[in-house]
Amino acid sequence: MRSSWADSVVNSAAENVAAGSSASNGVATAAKPTRGAYIPPHLRNLTPSSEPPAPAYSGPSSANDRSGYSGNRWGGPRNDSNQTGYSSGGRTGGWNNKSGGWDRGREREVNPFGDDVDTEKVFSEQENTGINFDAYEDIPVETSGDNVPPPVNTFAEIDLGEALNQNIKRCKYVKPTPVQRHAIPISLAGRDLMACAQTGSGKTAAFCFPIISGIMKGQASQRPPRGARTVYPLALILSPTRELSCQIHDEAKKFSYQTGVKVVVAYGGAPISQQLRDLERGVDILVATPGRLVDLLERARVSLQMIRYLALDEADRMLDMGFEPQIRKIVEQMDMPPQGVRQTMLFSATFPKEIQKLASDFLSNYVFLAVGRVGSSTDLIVQRVEFVHDTDKRSHLMDLLHAQRANGVHGKQYLTLVFVETKKGADSLEHWLCMNGFPATTIHGDRTQQEREQALRSFKSGVTPILVATDVAARGLDIPHVAHVVNFDLPNDIDDYVHRIGRTGRAGKTGLATAFFNDNNSSLAKALSELMQEANQEVPAWLSRYAARSPYVGRNRRSGGGGRFGGRDFRRDASFNRGGTDYYSGGNSSTGYGTAGGYGGGYGSGVTSAWD
Ligand SMILES: Nc1ncnc2c1ncn2[C@@H]1O[C@H](COP(=O)(O)OP(=O)(O)OP(=O)(O)O)[C@@H](O)[C@H]1O
């Protein structure tokens, strides 16, 4: 049943059509979206030009065009030309704020790389961010699904478009990471994808590149006419936290520099007015947190009718108990094209099978991809577990920090991220650290967004080299120089532990993770010791004893099978196929990774309160 906001969209859209029909032209008609005579504002008033005609977005009736997978499902003209800049050709308004990436008054796109870079030089220097490319060959990969497009070895093998290629060089990405090698060709072929790859292994680019490239090659999104209030993004990227959405936005802006693709971010806690102004200036890719997006949808300021690409980052988190209703509302109850029409990409480092099953509701004939370690990435995170009673935790932390200082770690501006369970606990520990001569700041859900952003800046810059955080900082954040993650309070869920320690040891760099364990954490013992064994870490004898005593079945509880890193397609698990639903037919396992899997497990009891 249509909700009231949607009725109002349709009604106002009908009025808009009436008002603007005299200016509509054939191009607009050709790009007709899902509902009858409705023509979205950004497709009206198109000035005839030498540009190719509208993309082949043809609404639900094109659902079957997914079967071939021989190319861009949107079938738009393969216009690789660099749609450089929005500074020419009758665009109304430039982005005039820093976050928008457009220089006020001068209508010039701000260079997100800081200054002009000699891309040829960068490329020839063969720089990268420290990823151990030599270890790539050994990385276990599993793909399953029909006709999985083959992986590539270089960016040059992929037709991403010249402007995007330039930005990849500016980012100093010399080679694709393993998840990029596999995921980008799959997505470029128009396939839906559920991808599971290690923390810090380059998943952001893996979903951004195909989206940006697809939009570049399709028809440029037209800005709404003056006064139009509803905007129609072509791609939606959802993430669970405000900070992660901002980070994805920053990355996507770098990747889309001078491609003509406009990226806007919308998240809670920040003034909606500025975000509305950004949206009004045009949006191709909308990066958002679910709450703020629902708000924008209910105000009819955003319509999802034209969405071609939907990406959920940290997808398992987005579909767990906390977020699932909102995600279902956005994806199923608003005006987004259904699965099979849009292209859907789900990414995370963890994918419990029950969440996979839920996620499959949003996907159509998808490829499941599990990519193992980057090099031996979790080996790059040295994991230590120490038995510490609650009452001793502070002095123990102090010892660690003193040792770090003595070893000169802070002198080099290396950063320490300390995870605690509660917001109050975070404030109290931060205060205590500061009182004891360790500059610290904190990030959690009770702080204002301004305070959160300031805390992150202060941590990143090394002004406060210790950040005390709740799980709000556990996922996705890519903060250079985090050398040490301390689990002052361990989480209930082993997946949360995986994401937390993944804030260090990113992109091939080494890191240290220390956990304080005591009787309160005994339910995690088995999962933790299994995880550490898998990552070739030394498991203390006392932890093994806890694990042996634990009634809890460990990290495979959710996944129902013996585990190795990466996860396994739930469609291949017989227990999920009982009751007549054949989720999986065919597929392949590549590069020798076919053992029973499950990187999930340890389905914690509660939803962490700190999330947006
Ligand atoms: N091809 C590449 N070459 C070199 N560095 C890369 C490449 N791709 C990504 N990176 C860098 O690797 C780092 C980690 O990437 P990203 O944040 O996308 O990881 P992720 O897999 O999303 O991690 P998480 O699971 O924690 O969200 C980033 O700093 C990014 O710039």
Side-chain angles (χ1 to χ4, degrees), residues 127-131 133 136 155 168 171-180 197-207 209 244 247 251 254-255 313-314 347-350 474-480 498-499 502-503 506-509:
E127 288 188 47
N128 62 52
T129 55
I131 289 181
F133 287 102
Y136 274 18
F155 286 120
I168 293 172
C171 289
K172 305 183 184 179
Y173 293 179
V174 176
K175 275 186 183 176
T177 65
V179 66
Q180 293 164 3
Q198 194 129 20
T199 51
S201 64
K203 293 187 288 293
T204 312
F207 60 76
F209 288 177
L244 182 52
Q247 179 182 297
E251 290 292 285
K254 279 191 223 160
F255 301 148
D313 195 15
E314 310 298 343
F347 281 77
S348 185
T350 52
R475 286 190 181 236
L477 295 186
D478 186 51
I479 303 170
V498 168
H499 287 277
R503 295 319 98 210
R506 298 176 69 75
K509 296 194 177 79

Side-chain angles (χ1 to χ4, degrees), residues 384-403:
R384 282 200 213 132
V385 186
E386 297 176 7
F387 193 93
V388 187
H389 289 294
D390 281 346
T391 45
D392 298 334
K393 281 182 175 178
R394 285 188 173 182
S395 60
H396 209 81
L397 177 64
M398 188 63 80
D399 290 346
L400 290 179
L401 294 174
H402 274 301

Side-chain angles (χ1 to χ4, degrees), residues 426-597:
D427 283 339
S428 152
L429 184 59
E430 177 219 14
H431 181 69
W432 184 81
L433 284 167
C434 291
M435 297 296 287
N436 284 279
F438 285 95
T441 184
T442 182
I443 187 166
H444 59 69
D446 273 356
R447 301 204 79 186
T448 66
Q449 189 54 27
Q450 242 180 339
E451 288 169 339
R452 282 163 63 157
E453 288 175 18
Q454 171 57 30
L456 213 48
R457 272 197 299 274
S458 160
F459 180 56
K460 282 181 176 175
S461 65
V463 172
T464 48
I466 302 168
L467 178 67
V468 185
T470 58
D471 259 335
V472 77
R475 286 190 181 236
L477 295 186
D478 186 51
I479 303 170
H481 313 303
V482 174
H484 196 177
V485 172
V486 179
N487 272 293
F488 189 88
D489 300 321
L490 271 164
N492 295 322
D493 185 335
I494 195 66
D495 287 355
D496 289 339
Y497 173 84
V498 168
H499 287 277
R500 285 180 179 188
I501 68 168
R503 295 319 98 210
T504 187
R506 298 176 69 75
K509 296 194 177 79
T510 53
L512 171 66
T514 305
F516 296 169
F517 183 101
N518 60 37
D519 285 336
N520 297 332
N521 311 115
S522 47
S523 66
L524 196 71
K526 192 168 172 62
L528 185 57
S529 85
E530 281 177 12
L531 177 79
M532 290 177 71
Q533 274 165 17
E534 285 170 16
N536 301 320
Q537 302 294 309
E538 199 176 315
V539 181
W542 59 263
L543 182 61
S544 302
R545 285 196 293 277
Y546 264 94
R549 281 204 302 269
S550 172
Y552 171 59
V553 295
R555 67 200 315 267
N556 300 313
R557 192 172 92 170
R558 271 186 293 181
S559 51
R564 284 292 301 162
F565 172 78
R568 181 181 160 90
D569 188 349
F570 90 98
R571 294 173 298 183
R572 307 180 78 184
D573 183 337
S575 65
F576 277 98
N577 288 329
R578 290 195 199 113
T581 310
D582 183 13
Y583 286 107
Y584 178 71
S585 54
N588 59 46
S589 289
S590 64
T591 55
Y593 184 66
T595 56

